[in-house]
Amino acid sequence: MSYFLVKESLEAESLLESRCVIDGDLNDTLVIFTHGAGANLSSDFMQRVAAGLSQSGIGIIRFNFPYMRANALDGKRRPPDRAPKLLKDFNLHIEAIKAQYSPKRIVLMGKSMGGRMAAIVAEQTPVDGVICLGYPFVPLKGGEPRLEPIELCKAPLCVIQGERDKFGGKELVPSWPVMKKTQLHWLADGDHSFVPRKSSGVTEEDNLTSAISYCIDFIRGLDA
């Protein structure tokens, strides 16, 4: 594990510097991976997915959004930044990573909120693919499903979802026509973090292994 510091371009936009984590060897295809609303880049989920991909020869860079970087400085717990700030931060990371490493292909990957931001970024920023791990389709407080980012995303899009995901499960998501443009994969009895019930006969490790396999197949398929 090594690190990459994004500093000047962020500070120029009044954003905190960002110490990104590098997993594996960076090569022609680079995955930029960010977190969901409640857990940072060091969460068990983020680390396990990054490790699985890097062990398959795929290079990963993980980063925290601004509110998580601020949390790390003073220990206070903050809500997520508004979408415009998250998107600006995401794009500045992409620019800095491209300038430093010059990859031939960039894939954006995000857990929950991070995946939704990745899909929105890919409407206007050229990238080679987007992977959403547990897409937050329906707000828990109710409201219309968040389908516009998927509809407008201009990159190939892979969505990996737990069958019991409270933000959109298997009984609901396939009914939306826009999902036909995605590679949609289901994880048996998984919740929003892909964890199944003990009674299902499936383990969390089973589902994470499947999710990692789907990611690898999608990424390698971009070269086909």
Side-chain angles (χ1 to χ4, degrees), residues 105 217-224:
R105 287 170 296 279
D217 289 346
F218 175 76
I219 292 166
R220 291 182 174 162
L222 297 173
D223 295 331

Side-chain angles (χ1 to χ4, degrees), residues 39-83:
N40 64 23
L41 65 75
S42 298
S43 71
D44 183 64
F45 181 94
M46 295 281 290
Q47 293 193 63
R48 290 166 76 181
V49 172
L53 291 178
S54 64
Q55 288 164 12
S56 297
I58 297 170
I60 315 288
I61 295 182
R62 290 179 274 150
F63 77 93
N64 281 329
F65 284 121
Y67 72 101
M68 280 295 184
R69 303 201 294 273
N71 291 353
L73 288 178
D74 60 17
K76 295 181 181 179
R77 187 172 178 85
R78 295 169 173 80
D81 301 300
R82 303 284 291 181

Side-chain angles (χ1 to χ4, degrees), residues 112 135-140 146 161 165-169 173 176 192:
S112 190
Y135 187 89
F137 286 101
V138 181
L140 293 184
R146 302 173 174 125
Q161 200 83 354
D165 194 322
K166 60 187 177 181
F167 291 93
V173 173
W176 297 318
H192 191 52

